[in-house]
Amino acid sequence: MLPLQGVRVVEFCQVLAGPFAGCLLADMGADVIKVESPEGDLMRQWPPVLDGYSQYFASVNRNKRSVVFDLKQDAGLDAARRLALTADIVLENFRPGVMAKFGLDYATLAKDHPALVYCSVSAFGQTGPRAAEGGFDMTIQAMSGVMSVTGDKDGRPAKCGIPIADFSAGLYAAFSVTASLHKARTTGQGDCVDVSMLGSMLGIANLQTSELFGMGRDPVRLGSAHPMNAPYAAFCCRDGYFALAAGTNKLYAAACTVVKRPDLTQDARFATPTLRGEHQDALRDVLETEFIKYDANDLLARMNERGVPCAPLYTYSQVLADPQVRHMQWVEDITLPNGVASKTVISPQRVSGRRLGVRQGPPALGAHTQQILAELKAAPAKA
């Protein structure tokens, strides 16, 4: 039995942040019913498209069922409302006010279902001067400060290579609704949860906001370096780059020993993590003079022997082929609704030693509409 088995989630979401939250809940065993318009989630059209079905859509919509309700028609809106009233959790990521127009907002549904946990995911939150504005991952990365600290020191602002604002908001949403579900089942009183992409990005920026609050200065772009510690970055060696995180005096000394430069521990500029952070450009130049004598694999082996945290700089094809990833079985075969065989990265957690894999492939648009309409006839709404 998975942790959320028996929990029903109704998802009124498109694209990424909301659907990712739904995917996390579905992986944990919840019955996630994705409500789509006749046109379907926009993400169904996003590349890579394999014989008419989006691999990207498949990656965040496994283990769900899909129904098509046209909310602009009375029959579709009525069915959507009846379905929402059978849910333990409702997820939505329309702009603020849209769900209220349909009578599918928390205030309306909670009158008949007080134990409902309802989560709205948006760019900026449900209230405030920016609430009505839309946002995409890149624009939120720009506004949140992430692009001010991403990239090389003298380079152009860069976004994080993955859509971190979308995924962070999805994680916050999934965590919040499971916490509220515990309360709802204990007290009979649900919650209205407001998750914003901007707030989620600020919520995980502890290192940067601490620098601002503690040092009185805005963090800046440092490439792969750490603003207050060194050596803690990607370093050049003979055949490319490797990552080194020797952030304590003991680890720094061990790294210096690996490259036969124990004298560097006596350099006053590099005496403490803070001083090394302040002089990390000079430290990098000195260390790379030694690192360039070695291939990455040789350095990694030597550092690992002395317990110094380090890693290769992988591409995605390389990391997915790593023995640890294979051991954990995080990549699983999947068959798309059109019969095309593909692969997907499953939820990385294990529960009681059990992998949270694909129990049900990503759905074709409206594949479960008739099934769920039949269930609505047979099951009453929750009170």
Side-chain angles (χ1 to χ4, degrees), residues 5 15 38 54 64 135 147 182 365:
Q5 191 168 323
V15 188
S54 168
K64 299 180 185 179
M147 290 177 65
H182 173 72
L365 178 61

Side-chain angles (χ1 to χ4, degrees), residues 205-220:
N206 306 75
L207 175 62
Q208 287 70 33
T209 55
S210 293
E211 183 177 354
L212 175 63
F213 298 149
M215 309 294 290
R217 68 191 184 204
D218 267 316
V220 298

